[in-house]
Amino acid sequence: MFTPLRFLSLSLLLLWMISMNSLAHQALPYCHLIKAEQGNTLTFEISVPANTHWYLLSWHTPFDAWFSNFLTLTDLNSHQSLQYQGALAKRGEPTDEDYLLLPAGESLSVSLDLAQAFAIRPGRYQAALRPLRLYRDLNDKAQSTSLECPTLEVNLP
Amino acid sequence: MSKLFKLSTLAIASTLLSQSALAEGIAAKLQMSQDSFSSDQDVMVTLTLTNEANVPVKMLKWFTAADGVEESLFKVSADGQERPYLGAHYKRPAPSHKDYIKLKSGESISYQVELSSLYDMSATANYEISYDVSSMQLFAPNPGQAKKLARLGVEGIHSAPASFYLEGREFKGGNNKGKPGTGDGGGTTPDGISFTGRCSNSQQSDILAGLAAAKTMSADANQHLATASSNSQRYSTWFGAYSSSRWNTVSNNFSKIDSALNNEPLTFDCSCKKQYYAYVYPTQPYKIYMCNAFWSAPTSGTDSKGGTIIHETSHFNVVAGTDDIVYGQSGAKSLAISDPSQAIQNADSHEYFAENTPNLN
Ligand SMILES: [Zn+2]
C-alpha cells in the first residue's frame, strides 16, 4: 500500500543515498598551516583521504613560493596586511607539469620562510591562503573544486 | 644567456681553422660565425680543442665551455682595448674525477659560445678575441705532468686571435658602460635602459622592440581612456561595468604606466631560465626579469613582448600596484563580469586592455 509516510521514507532514503554518493565523490583533501617551533617559518600541509587522488594547480599556492602572492599576513593589532615583497610571475596556460599529484592517503608539505617575502615586526598575525584549485582528472580540467584552508593565528618574532 | 651547443667530436682537426697554439699537446682554435655583426646579432664563435700529443690528455671541463661559460675563457679587445668579462666566476670545490674530460690522441672537441652576453660589446669596433686559459688546474692532477708543465713554462692554453667587426649598441657614455665586476653584465642605452644578467645582442634587441611596442600600447590605452565614451566595449570587456571611480583608477594606472615606460630608468635582466614570461618584485622598481616564454612571444598582440612589459610595469607599487588575480584572456574576461573592482587590480586585465587584440572600440 502506498501511503504518504512510506513515500516520505522512500524519498528520505533516496536523498540519503544521493548525499552519501556525493560525499564520497567529494572526499576532499585537508589543508592547513602550522607554525614551526622557531623563527618566521610556517609549514603548509595538505593531506589526501585514502581511496582517491587529486591534482593541485601549484600556481598561487605554497608550492609556488615566492613567485605569486598566495598568502596574506594581517597584523591583528593594526588590522593592516603586510606588503608582499616576493616576486609576481606572468605565465602562459598551465601545462600538466604545473599540476601537482596528491596521491591517495598521503600528505605533502612545504616549509615557508616568511622573512623572504615580508618585512615582519614581532606581533600577532593572521595567515590566510588563497583558495586551492583541485582537479580529479587532468583530462577533464573543466571539473575543478575550490578548497579553502583554515586561517592560522600566530605570534611571529 | 650563454648559448652553447656541443657540436661534435671530430677525429682530426679541421684544416678550415687557421689559428692554433700548442700547450702540452692541446691546440685551441677559434672560428667566428661571421666577419661582421650588427647590434642585434648574437656573436657566435666556435672553440675547437685538439689533442695533438700522442698520448691521451685530461682537461678540466670548467675551462672548456663544456657546461657553458662559467669562467672568463677569452681575452677580448675592441680597437686594441681590453673588454671586461661580464659573466659569472664560480667559486667551486676542488675538482673531482668527473670534472675532467679526456681527449684521445688526435681527438678534437668543439663548442659554440655566444660572446655578446659574456663580454662588453657595446662599442662599434674591430674586435679581437683569443682563447686564453691560464690555470695550473687545467690539466688533470698528475705530479709528473705538473712538474713537466712548470719546467716548460706552460701555464695553460692560448689560441691565436680571431677578429671581427661589430656595430655596437653604443651605450651611454661612449665605449664602455658595462658594469664590470658586478658579475651582472650589461650596459645602459642613451634612453636610460639598462641590461643585466647576460643579455645577448639579440635579447637586447628583442627587449627594445618589446619596449617600443609597450610604449605604443600605453599611449593608445591613455588615448582611449581620455576620449572614449563610458560605454566603451574595450573598457567593459577587460574592466567590467562602467563606474566613474573605476574608470578613473584605470586611467590613472595607465598614465603612470606610460610615464614609467618613458621616463624611468628601466632595467631588464636576462638571467631567468624559468618557463614564465617574466617576473618582477613589486617593491623593486623598475627591474623586470625576462624568462623563457618572453623570447618566443610576438612583439605585439595577445601575450606579446610589449604586453608583458605593460603587465610587469603595472605590478610595481609605485606604478599601479596590480596583482595576478586571474591569468589568461578567458580568466580576465570572467573577472571583469564577476568582480570589476578586482579586475582593475589585475595585471593581465591591464595587459589585455593595452594589447587590444582582437581590436575593440
Ligand atoms: Zn603578473
Side-chain angles (χ1 to χ4, degrees):
Chain A
M1 206 174 120
F2 195 82
T3 65
L5 191 65
R6 176 166 295 181
F7 176 73
L8 185 67
S9 59
L10 267 173
S11 311
L12 282 173
L13 182 71
L14 201 66
L15 269 175
W16 178 78
M17 285 170 69
I18 290 168
S19 69
M20 282 308 284
N21 185 42
S22 67
L23 270 180
H25 184 72
Q26 293 179 357
L28 280 168
Y30 172 69
C31 54
H32 63 154
L33 288 164
I34 311 154
K35 172 77 176 77
E37 285 293 298
Q38 284 187 335
N40 289 322
T41 304
L42 298 183
T43 302
F44 169 78
E45 187 179 58
I46 183 162
S47 307
V48 188
N51 306 326
T52 173
H53 68 263
W54 290 85
Y55 291 92
L56 169 69
L57 179 57
S58 60
W59 299 3
H60 305 281
T61 77
F63 297 104
D64 189 31
W66 295 98
F67 282 95
S68 55
N69 187 3
F70 58 86
L71 179 80
T72 305
L73 276 184
T74 307
D75 183 329
L76 289 172
N77 241 333
S78 65
H79 300 285
Q80 296 278 311
S81 50
L82 294 188
Q83 187 178 55
Y84 174 68
Q85 301 191 350
L88 296 175
K90 172 173 166 64
R91 310 173 227 223
E93 292 296 313
T95 66
D96 282 357
E97 287 168 24
D98 297 312
Y99 297 87
L100 205 62
L101 172 64
L102 308 174
E106 291 189 21
S107 293
L108 294 182
S109 66
V110 62
S111 167
L112 295 171
D113 179 5
L114 301 176
Q116 287 184 17
F118 300 95
I120 297 165
R121 274 168 308 182
R124 188 156 182 81
Y125 293 88
Q126 184 197 61
L129 291 167
R130 275 207 203 187
L132 308 178
R133 185 124 313 259
L134 295 166
Y135 300 79
R136 290 297 291 275
D137 180 358
L138 290 187
N139 294 315
D140 184 16
K141 296 198 187 82
Q143 299 294 318
S144 73
T145 307
S146 174
L147 178 65
E148 296 239 12
C149 308
T151 59
L152 176 73
E153 291 194 5
V154 277
N155 291 314
L156 296 174
Chain B
M1 177 166 55
S2 93
K3 294 211 177 105
L4 170 104
F5 311 94
K6 184 173 169 181
L7 289 180
S8 59
T9 308
L10 306 165
I12 49 158
S14 161
T15 51
L16 279 173
L17 308 167
S18 56
Q19 294 93 13
S20 82
L22 197 65
E24 187 53 12
I26 296 288
K29 300 164 193 196
L30 294 179
Q31 189 174 47
M32 302 307 304
S33 59
Q34 296 167 222
D35 292 339
S36 76
F37 297 86
S38 63
S39 64
D40 58 358
Q41 284 182 314
D42 287 343
V43 180
M44 305 300 296
V45 65
T46 304
L47 164 67
T48 302
L49 300 168
T50 304
N51 180 6
E52 294 185 343
N54 49 16
V55 291
V57 172
K58 278 186 179 171
M59 290 182 66
L60 192 54
K61 275 202 284 191
W62 305 342
F63 298 108
T64 66
D67 296 330
V69 175
E70 297 176 337
E71 299 290 339
S72 178
L73 302 181
F74 302 96
K75 191 174 264 179
V76 174
S77 66
D79 290 338
Q81 286 203 308
E82 196 167 325
R83 298 283 90 184
Y85 170 66
L86 304 170
H89 292 278
Y90 283 67
K91 185 171 161 55
R92 312 175 199 248
S96 71
H97 194 67
K98 61 173 174 35
D99 292 319
Y100 291 90
I101 51 165
K102 186 172 168 181
L103 283 181
K104 288 181 279 192
S105 177
E107 192 177 15
S108 290
I109 188 155
S110 294
Y111 306 98
Q112 273 198 2
V113 178
E114 201 289 310
L115 295 169
S116 65
S117 60
L118 297 172
Y119 294 85
D120 181 354
M121 294 193 172
S122 52
T124 298
N126 288 302
Y127 284 79
E128 206 172 75
I129 173 182
S130 55
Y131 177 73
D132 180 57
V133 171
S134 305
S135 170
M136 294 309 288
Q137 285 190 310
L138 180 59
F139 300 104
N142 165 338
Q145 181 171 261
K147 272 187 201 141
K148 189 174 155 200
L149 291 175
R151 194 175 64 242
L152 291 170
V154 171
E155 285 174 6
I157 305 178
H158 311 275
S159 76
S163 54
F164 58 92
Y165 174 80
L166 182 134
E167 182 198 313
R169 183 159 276 119
E170 295 299 346
F171 290 132
K172 200 158 64 184
N175 297 355
N176 163 28
K177 280 302 145 228
K179 294 170 187 164
T182 61
D184 216 12
T188 304
T189 68
D191 297 334
I193 311 304
S194 302
F195 298 105
T196 61
R198 295 177 166 204
C199 300
S200 70
N201 277 350
S202 64
Q203 289 175 325
Q204 290 175 19
S205 83
D206 278 359
I207 289 167
L208 293 175
L211 178 59
K215 288 180 182 178
T216 304
M217 287 177 198
S218 71
D220 179 67
N222 271 327
Q223 165 84 6
H224 184 85
L225 290 161
T227 56
S229 72
S230 61
N231 61 9
S232 155
Q233 204 195 344
R234 178 173 171 184
Y235 176 90
S236 62
T237 300
W238 303 114
F239 296 116
Y242 172 83
S243 90
S244 64
S245 77
R246 287 196 296 266
W247 182 291
N248 284 341
T249 300
V250 172
S251 298
N252 203 20
N253 288 350
F254 271 104
S255 77
K256 285 179 171 168
I257 291 168
D258 192 59
S259 169
L261 294 177
N262 285 290
N263 305 322
E264 299 297 343
L266 308 174
T267 297
F268 296 95
D269 185 282
C270 300
S271 60
C272 172
K273 300 290 179 280
K274 292 175 180 283
Q275 293 307 320
Y276 307 151
Y277 283 86
Y279 67 87
V280 297
Y281 294 91
T283 52
Q284 297 171 28
Y286 295 90
K287 184 165 185 174
I288 305 178
Y289 298 80
M290 323 319 288
C291 305
N292 287 357
F294 180 82
W295 307 116
S296 48
T299 303
S300 56
T302 301
D303 291 319
S304 58
K305 292 187 174 80
T308 298
I309 292 172
I310 299 263
H311 174 122
E312 299 303 334
T313 305
S314 79
H315 277 319
F316 293 123
N317 293 331
V318 294
V319 177
T322 60
D323 195 357
D324 293 315
I325 296 164
V326 297
Y327 44 82
Q329 283 209 340
S330 61
K333 280 181 187 169
S334 306
L335 188 67
I337 295 163
S338 67
D339 197 340
S341 64
Q342 292 258 57
I344 65 169
Q345 295 176 50
N346 185 44
D348 263 353
S349 306
H350 289 75
E351 173 176 342
Y352 297 136
F353 179 83
E355 288 169 346
N356 195 25
T357 308
N359 185 66
L360 297 171
N361 294 313

